[in-house]
Amino acid sequence: MMQLVDINLLPHDERKQGSWLKAVIAIAALGLILILTFVILGIYQGRAVDTLASQLSQEQKLRAQKEEKIAELESLDTWANLDAAVKWAEGYPMPMLPVLGEVVDALPERGFLEEFTYTGAGALELGIQFDSSREAAYYLERISSTKLVSDVKLLGVETEALEDADAGVLPRYLARYALTLDREAVKGTADEEEAGE
């Protein structure tokens, strides 16, 4: 028996080798595309993180600035409260005994104090009864020369109507004055009087 030898003179099938090579190239290309995609996504993510970090830094700076402004406003509010307290203390009623003494001492012999009104902030209104209108002018001069009064104005003089005008009684005059007191002088006089007691 003879054995038959199979001789293939045809070229080998290159299709099988080419398909294997194509599969390896396709897999390598797909791997390269995936690697590039991950690199690009990583770059974008890095930029996004950098942007967020920058925004966070800006927000922290803005917050610090706002906190500074709030602190300034609070300190301004403290100054406003202090200013209000000073104004209140300046408007606080003064000791009136020395003022009353000066007002009465400046009266003429037949002058009578009818109204004494402290209107606050060192202002005082007086209503004084005189026998003549000339005494109202003299009183204005005397009270303005006292050390406790910084300013005085004569607001007006009215004649008081008498019920029994035929009895030979002279009319009376009511003069109204507005005084501005010297706060320091009033306090100093009050302190001197307290020290003298």
Side-chain angles (χ1 to χ4, degrees), residues 78-94:
T78 302
W79 281 108
N81 289 342
L82 183 60
D83 187 42
V86 167
K87 287 181 181 176
W88 176 84
E90 287 175 351
Y92 190 75
M94 294 182 283

Side-chain angles (χ1 to χ4, degrees), residues 122-144:
L124 189 66
E125 289 186 8
L126 301 176
I128 300 178
Q129 186 181 41
F130 298 105
D131 285 341
S132 70
S133 59
R134 188 181 326 172
E135 286 180 337
Y138 289 140
Y139 183 77
L140 177 68
E141 182 180 334
R142 281 192 298 265
I143 197 69
S144 64

Side-chain angles (χ1 to χ4, degrees), residues 90-96 116-125 181 183:
E90 287 175 351
Y92 190 75
M94 294 182 283
M96 286 292 121
F116 184 91
T117 308
Y118 180 71
T119 58
L124 189 66
E125 289 186 8
L181 302 175
R183 297 182 70 80

Side-chain angles (χ1 to χ4, degrees), residues 122-169:
L124 189 66
E125 289 186 8
L126 301 176
I128 300 178
Q129 186 181 41
F130 298 105
D131 285 341
S132 70
S133 59
R134 188 181 326 172
E135 286 180 337
Y138 289 140
Y139 183 77
L140 177 68
E141 182 180 334
R142 281 192 298 265
I143 197 69
S144 64
S145 66
T146 64
K147 67 178 182 177
L148 302 182
V149 176
S150 63
D151 186 35
V152 62
K153 293 179 183 153
L154 178 62
L155 300 176
V157 178
E158 300 172 0
T159 305
E160 286 188 341
L162 299 174
E163 294 178 13
D164 190 15
D166 296 334
V169 177

Side-chain angles (χ1 to χ4, degrees), residues 57-136:
S57 173
Q58 289 175 352
E59 291 293 326
Q60 288 174 341
K61 288 178 185 176
L62 286 173
R63 181 178 179 183
Q65 289 174 351
K66 287 181 181 179
E67 286 175 354
E68 282 181 30
K69 286 181 183 179
I70 288 171
E72 287 175 16
L73 290 175
E74 287 175 352
S75 70
L76 287 177
D77 189 39
T78 302
W79 281 108
N81 289 342
L82 183 60
D83 187 42
V86 167
K87 287 181 181 176
W88 176 84
E90 287 175 351
Y92 190 75
M94 294 182 283
M96 286 292 121
L97 194 58
V99 176
L100 186 58
E102 289 286 333
V103 167
V104 171
D105 287 345
L107 286 173
E109 184 178 334
R110 298 244 336 126
F112 301 99
L113 180 63
E114 288 195 354
E115 293 178 29
F116 184 91
T117 308
Y118 180 71
T119 58
L124 189 66
E125 289 186 8
L126 301 176
I128 300 178
Q129 186 181 41
F130 298 105
D131 285 341
S132 70
S133 59
R134 188 181 326 172
E135 286 180 337

Side-chain angles (χ1 to χ4, degrees), residues 36-51:
L36 286 175
T37 303
F38 285 125
V39 168
I40 291 171
L41 286 175
I43 290 171
Y44 284 130
Q45 289 296 332
R47 287 183 183 166
V49 168
D50 290 343
T51 302

